[in-house]
Amino acid sequence: MLDIQVLRNDLAAVAARLKTRGFELDTAQFELLEAERKTIQTRTQELQAKRNATSKLIGQAKAKGEDVSAIMAEVGALGDELKQLETKLPQVLADMDAFLAVIPNVPHAGVPVGMSEADNVEVRRIGDIPKFAFEVQDHVSIGEGLGGLDFETATKIAGARFSLLTGPLARMHRALAQFMLDTHTDKHGYTETYVPYLVNADSMRGTGQLPKFEEDLFRVPRVVGDDGVEKNFYLIPTAEVPVTNMVRDEIVALEKLPMKFVAHTPCFRSEAGSYGRDTRGMIRQHQFEKVELVQMVHPEKSYEMLEELLGHAETILKQLGLPYRVVKLCTGDMGFSAATTYDIEVWLPAQNTYREISSCSNFEAFQARRMQARFRNAAGKPALLHTLNGSGLAVGRTLVAVLENYQNADGSVTIPDVLRPYMGGMEKLSK
RNA sequence: GGAAGCGUGGCCGAGCGGUUGAAGGCACCGGUCUUGAAAACCGGCAACGAUGCGAGUCGUUCGUGAGUUCGAAUCUCACCGCUUCCGCCA
């Protein structure tokens, strides 16, 4: 959510910056809503003030035993208009809120302007791309060759875009998550968290998935109470949602900042609108695991912390010996809530390209404003936090990357050194 | 699933339908005292919103939503959450 004050004071400038990310702000509509809001709100408050003052007089007169019928008639006269306005005002405010809720964040000044992925800017490349003296296989062939990767059975159990791992492959999947968690908690100072995988609509709204992107989510309806009212749970599309919402409607003490949390959770995405993309393998699934880094920080520190968080995610790839590059997303390629985003892309030999494995973003106060997530500043006043998050990393895609980058001519896969302690000392996956 | 109780400011905790935005305490900020600190004492201290250049003024908010009333933290109803007891249970 953008700051409505900024829209009031600097509408044209905001519209221009939003245009760089491909969003047309309806400034006429805003001005219309704002004018209506102002008229109704000021008139309502005026009448309320009059009512309050008169009611106070009644109390005083009654205490003295005076006749109050004349004043009562006076208040009664306010009744109709006030009642009408008091019904109208929340509607107008809700209209404005609905208008604001679908406006994406304003890109930070340092974000390259562009319309698509093609305009993203490469920041660095790390690691040497492996050379193979044989024809490389993709992770599906490798996994099926080894045994333990079975899409047919997954499809039988659930449907398309699910996977089934068994044996050493399942173990390596777990090992990766464990290794990531241990690294972030022991070396990077994050607090491990276990969170709900089903969340309410307020939480989804807080981080920006709702109201605009409901079709990307798995919705779980449930009947609540005796009156049969239906409310929804939503399966989390990322741990960002439950973890960031920990501070919703909170005012945290200055000394508690920065707050750094890591959570390993499944993530559920409907992948509506991605029919036909990445249909083979584990790249794009309805359910996948991710180790997520989340920070709530002082607004002055958020860009510094973003670089740090990005480094934490990169550490995992370095430790695993996987080649990758860091890309700064352009205005047109960023997510709805982000002010700045770096993607980390890992090298996938079978695709002969880099593929996204992590996305690290600074949301500035965009999510905090929706969540009313605040801290008490040096002056003792509540102020909005900045929130950040990044994958550290997507576990399924990391498994894919390990299988492909560590494959051998005989179809076996060498286990990266850092994973061996988590694999009972095993050095190789083979048939 | 059954029974009872409870939801008040950053935290704890009072609160007759009418100067209650809300006693008191803690925390926090400023001051006096002190070589410094602590203690003690004095003072300040809710959030959000509207409006104004500004000091300010006004409105809303006591779990949420409806209702009664000229007026609701206080009365009524529904819902949500928490606690305790019984039953069931991974």
Side-chain angles (χ1 to χ4, degrees):
Chain A
M1 193 104 81
L2 299 182
D3 184 353
I4 192 167
Q5 301 288 0
V6 174
L7 287 170
R8 284 176 190 148
N9 297 333
D10 225 355
L11 188 60
V14 174
R17 294 181 65 191
L18 288 173
K19 203 181 170 96
T20 65
R21 48 141 74 220
F23 183 86
E24 282 296 338
L25 183 64
D26 189 343
T27 56
Q29 175 68 6
F30 176 80
E31 281 168 338
L32 199 74
L33 283 169
E34 174 62 6
E36 192 185 16
R37 190 228 95 225
K38 192 162 179 170
T39 310
I40 290 172
Q41 187 162 11
T42 50
R43 180 63 182 156
T44 305
Q45 294 189 354
E46 192 182 314
L47 292 177
Q48 284 172 331
K50 197 177 274 184
R51 181 199 58 198
N52 291 346
T54 317
S55 290
K56 200 167 266 184
L57 286 180
I58 293 174
Q60 286 166 3
K62 273 197 164 172
K64 290 186 218 154
E66 293 168 5
D67 176 51
V68 293
S69 56
I71 327 180
M72 297 270 275
E74 199 181 314
V75 193
L78 299 175
D80 274 355
E81 189 185 356
L82 185 56
K83 194 156 260 175
Q84 211 171 21
L85 286 171
E86 282 184 337
T87 315
K88 191 79 195 280
L89 181 60
Q91 290 169 4
V92 173
L93 292 176
D95 287 348
M96 179 56 94
D97 191 62
F99 180 81
L100 294 176
V102 297
I103 303 174
N105 203 356
V106 171
H108 185 255
V111 175
V113 172
M115 288 317 289
S116 75
E117 203 178 320
D119 301 312
N120 295 342
V121 173
E122 186 175 293
V123 178
R124 56 180 163 265
R125 286 185 189 217
I126 306 289
D128 297 325
I129 290 170
K131 300 264 188 287
F132 295 95
F134 53 93
E135 196 175 334
V136 296
Q137 303 181 68
D138 75 356
H139 69 281
V140 178
S141 311
I142 298 167
E144 285 175 351
L146 289 168
L149 181 57
D150 182 350
F151 289 103
E152 262 181 52
T153 306
T155 303
K156 176 178 75 181
I157 298 167
R161 292 208 190 281
F162 286 92
S163 42
L164 178 69
L165 299 172
T166 52
L169 272 189
R171 182 169 188 175
M172 183 181 267
H173 187 257
R174 170 165 63 91
L176 283 165
Q178 305 263 61
F179 164 66
M180 293 175 196
L181 273 174
D182 285 349
T183 303
H184 295 310
T185 54
D186 297 345
K187 304 221 166 86
H188 301 150
Y190 289 79
T191 302
E192 184 166 353
T193 49
Y194 170 79
V195 295
Y197 303 155
L198 287 164
V199 300
N200 57 35
D202 285 342
S203 292
M204 285 297 183
R205 169 171 278 269
T207 33
Q209 282 75 19
L210 289 180
K212 212 172 179 178
F213 306 101
E214 181 157 21
E215 71 276 9
D216 295 337
L217 302 171
F218 284 106
R219 188 165 57 87
V220 183
R222 56 164 183 156
V223 173
V224 140
D226 297 330
D227 54 359
V229 173
E230 196 170 271
K231 288 198 175 176
N232 294 314
F233 276 135
Y234 294 88
L235 280 163
I236 58 170
T238 158
E240 162 194 353
V241 178
V243 177
T244 311
N245 274 280
M246 284 166 68
V247 293
R248 173 153 54 85
D249 294 322
E250 298 288 333
I251 300 177
V252 306
L254 184 60
E255 313 82 70
K256 295 236 171 107
L257 302 182
M259 300 169 85
K260 297 164 69 178
F261 298 103
V262 58
H264 165 218
T265 72
C267 303
F268 302 92
R269 300 190 180 177
S270 76
E271 293 299 341
S274 64
Y275 305 108
R277 284 174 61 198
D278 301 312
T279 50
R280 181 173 163 86
M282 286 184 74
I283 296 289
R284 190 173 300 277
Q285 302 277 281
H286 287 312
Q287 171 187 320
F288 62 95
E289 306 264 314
K290 189 151 59 74
V291 170
E292 185 75 2
L293 306 173
V294 176
Q295 297 191 14
M296 297 84 172
V297 308
H298 192 287
E300 287 167 12
K301 295 277 172 63
S302 64
Y303 278 93
E304 199 179 305
M305 297 307 269
L306 176 62
E307 297 298 324
E308 204 178 291
L309 185 149
L310 174 64
H312 296 152
E314 288 184 65
T315 296
I316 302 297
L317 288 160
K318 285 179 184 162
Q319 296 273 305
L320 286 169
L322 294 170
Y324 67 92
R325 64 173 191 159
V326 175
V327 167
K328 192 168 192 175
L329 297 195
C330 73
T331 51
D333 202 29
M334 283 195 303
F336 178 75
S337 302
T340 295
T341 299
Y342 290 106
D343 272 7
I344 303 177
E345 299 178 341
V346 70
W347 178 256
L348 292 187
Q351 296 191 7
N352 198 38
T353 186
Y354 290 98
R355 289 299 304 258
E356 179 185 343
I357 197 167
S358 172
S359 191
C360 302
S361 301
N362 184 356
F363 302 93
E364 300 183 359
F366 188 84
Q367 294 179 328
R369 188 170 294 109
R370 291 171 159 250
M371 292 190 297
Q372 282 305 296
R374 297 171 291 173
F375 70 104
R376 210 167 275 284
N377 66 20
K381 290 291 163 201
L384 294 171
L385 292 163
H386 278 193
T387 58
L388 316 172
N389 70 52
S391 351
L393 309 160
V395 179
R397 288 188 180 181
T398 308
L399 180 68
V400 168
V402 169
L403 294 179
E404 294 195 3
N405 283 281
Y406 282 88
Q407 64 182 297
N408 301 311
D410 63 359
S412 68
V413 173
T414 304
I415 298 174
D417 288 343
V418 293
L419 289 185
R420 291 180 188 179
Y422 297 91
M423 298 288 293
M426 220 187 296
E427 293 174 6
K428 207 185 248 194
L429 298 178
S430 48
K431 193 148 188 183

